[in-house]
């Protein structure tokens, strides 16, 4: 299993906390995605082709808007694909939420603040009524955001970017689901972001290190024993040579030893000593 990043671990921990505190609303995919939106709205279609629509306010240069939209759009993709990965790894389970108006609600935006008019692609501040002057003046214009300030009402142009790709299918499958963190996710957080496999690997690593230390100690003891045995062998060899030499001297006590014989005896003793050193 791959290691999760710190950001991914924070997401898992947050999901587990939502479950443990019984905050089911925050475990719904739609509110989680809306909370991560930096642009105005995200809409998608699956027919006739899959495509995603990103709505942003039209203030700023086109390049700046496109760059900001692209970056946040990629963050949304990362988040959705990570949720799918968590399901594949049995960390979470998606539970379907029945919705009779799925076709009318393929869009994410701040529902607490705005209402959406799909025919005109308008987002209207909920503080505004149908009789508000701003709606009377610009109510027929498409791609507008109608605000209600403290002492004023005004409209802003909306920029729409169309992104045709299969991510629309992913949104369609996940947005109306509830995320249920499974016990393995709770254990993962409780154990300091270590899975059972991670902990087994760590324990095996510790066992291998302990075994290596034991093996090294055994080798060291064996080497010491070998040296002791070798020294004992040398001592025995010297003792044998001394015994032979002493015996020869006893045998030759009344016999004159020629210089050549004595030299030969010394050379033999030297050869034996050299042999024992190897």
């Amino acid at each position: 299993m791959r290691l999760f990043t710190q950001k991914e671990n924070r997401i898992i921990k947050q999901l587990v906390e939502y479950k443990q505190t019984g905050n089911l609303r925050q475990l719904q995919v739609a509110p989680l995605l809306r909370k991560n939106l930096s642009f105005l709205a995200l809409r998608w279609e699956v027919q006739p082709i899959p495509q995603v629509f990103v709505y942003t306010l039209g203030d700023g240069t086109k390049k700046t808007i496109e760059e900001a939209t692209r970056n946040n759009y990629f963050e949304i993709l990362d988040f959705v694909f990570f949720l799918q990965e968590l399901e594949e790894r049995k960390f979470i389970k998606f539970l379907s939420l029945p919705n009779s108006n799925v076709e009318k609600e393929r869009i994410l935006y701040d529902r607490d603040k705005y209402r959406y008019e799909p025919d005109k692609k308008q987002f209207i501040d909920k503080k505004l009524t149908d009789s508000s002057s701003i709606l009377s003046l610009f109510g027929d214009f498409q791609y507008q955001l109608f605000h209600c300030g403290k002492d004023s009402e005004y409209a802003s142009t909306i920029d729409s970017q169309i992104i045709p790709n299969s991510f629309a299918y992913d949104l369609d499958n996940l947005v109306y689901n509830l995320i249920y963190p499974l016990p393995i996710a709770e254990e993962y957080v409780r154990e300091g972001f270590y899975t059972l496999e991670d902990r087994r690997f760590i324990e095996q690593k510790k066992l291998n290190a302990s075994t290596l230390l034991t093996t090294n100690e055994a080798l060291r003891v064996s080497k010491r024993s070998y040296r002791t045995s070798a020294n004992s062998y040398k001592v025995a060899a010297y003792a044998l040579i001394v015994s032979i030499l002493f015996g020869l001297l006893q045998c030759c006590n009344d016999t004159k030893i020629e210089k050549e014989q004595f030299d030969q005896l010394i050379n033999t003793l030297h050869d034996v000593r050299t042999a024992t050193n190897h």
Side-chain angles (χ1 to χ4, degrees):
M1 175 178 166
R2 75 171 180 86
L3 295 176
F4 291 129
T5 65
Q6 291 184 354
K7 181 179 180 180
E8 291 170 338
N9 280 334
R10 285 195 296 269
I11 293 174
I12 298 174
K13 182 180 180 181
Q14 187 67 74
L15 294 177
V16 169
E17 289 177 352
Y18 286 151
K19 175 187 176 181
Q20 293 176 343
T21 57
N23 194 340
L24 297 182
R25 173 175 171 76
Q26 293 301 326
L27 284 173
Q28 295 178 37
V29 177
L32 282 174
L33 288 177
R34 284 199 296 268
K35 190 168 67 173
N36 286 278
L37 290 179
S38 66
F39 38 77
L40 179 62
L42 183 71
R43 186 172 69 86
W44 65 95
E45 295 177 355
V46 294
Q47 295 292 339
I49 62 171
Q51 50 188 349
V52 179
F53 302 81
V54 178
Y55 296 120
T56 57
L57 292 178
D59 51 351
T61 65
K62 183 177 181 181
K63 181 179 179 181
T64 301
I65 294 174
E66 290 181 349
E67 182 177 354
T69 301
R70 181 178 63 251
N71 290 341
N72 188 233
Y73 177 71
F74 289 158
E75 290 178 2
I76 296 298
L77 265 70
D78 290 341
F79 182 74
V80 170
F81 293 151
F82 179 59
L83 291 180
Q84 291 176 335
E85 181 182 358
L86 289 179
E87 184 184 38
E88 292 173 0
R89 296 184 181 279
K90 310 302 182 183
F91 272 61
I92 64 173
K93 180 70 176 177
F94 289 116
L95 304 177
S96 299
L97 294 175
N99 192 322
S100 60
N101 296 319
V102 170
E103 290 296 329
K104 297 180 180 180
E105 297 186 357
R106 284 194 169 107
I107 185 170
L108 298 173
Y109 65 96
D110 189 349
R111 297 174 182 273
D112 294 331
K113 188 174 182 179
Y114 302 106
R115 58 187 174 90
Y116 176 63
E117 294 293 337
D119 295 336
K120 300 178 181 180
K121 307 299 185 294
Q122 297 174 343
F123 293 87
I124 303 173
D125 194 314
K126 284 189 172 182
K127 296 177 183 178
L128 296 173
T129 63
D130 292 337
S131 59
S132 298
S133 58
I134 189 70
L135 294 179
S136 300
L137 292 173
F138 300 100
D140 292 332
F141 288 80
Q142 293 193 348
Y143 294 98
Q144 297 291 314
L145 173 65
F146 296 102
H147 303 269
C148 180
K150 185 177 181 180
D151 299 314
S152 63
E153 300 173 354
Y154 58 98
S156 299
T157 302
I158 296 174
D159 183 74
S160 174
Q161 297 185 45
I162 303 175
I163 309 173
N165 60 58
S166 61
F167 183 56
Y169 293 128
D170 297 288
L171 289 172
D172 213 49
N173 291 330
L174 294 183
V175 164
Y176 301 107
N177 284 340
L178 177 74
I179 301 170
Y180 181 74
L182 294 170
I184 188 176
E186 296 180 274
E187 182 183 33
Y188 175 73
V189 174
R190 186 171 58 251
E191 295 295 336
F193 304 112
Y194 287 106
T195 64
L196 178 60
E197 291 80 5
D198 294 333
R199 299 198 300 276
R200 284 176 176 173
F201 175 77
I202 292 172
E203 289 300 322
Q204 185 62 46
K205 189 175 180 180
K206 290 179 179 178
L207 179 61
N208 292 342
S210 178
T211 302
L212 180 61
L213 289 175
T214 303
T215 302
N216 288 338
E217 180 63 20
L219 289 174
R220 188 177 65 82
V221 172
S222 298
K223 188 175 181 180
R224 183 188 301 170
S225 299
Y226 170 77
R227 289 177 178 176
T228 302
S229 299
N231 290 335
S232 299
Y233 170 75
K234 291 178 181 180
V235 171
Y238 286 137
L240 178 61
I241 293 170
V242 170
S243 298
I244 294 173
L245 181 59
F246 181 76
L248 290 174
L249 291 175
Q250 289 293 328
C251 293
C252 300
N253 187 37
D254 297 328
T255 305
K256 183 179 180 181
I257 300 178
E258 298 293 337
K259 181 179 183 303
E260 291 80 4
Q261 292 176 324
F262 183 79
D263 290 341
Q264 185 177 1
L265 183 61
I266 293 301
N267 289 335
T268 302
L269 180 60
H270 176 74
D271 292 342
V272 173
R273 181 181 178 183
T274 303
T276 59
N277 286 336
H278 294 287

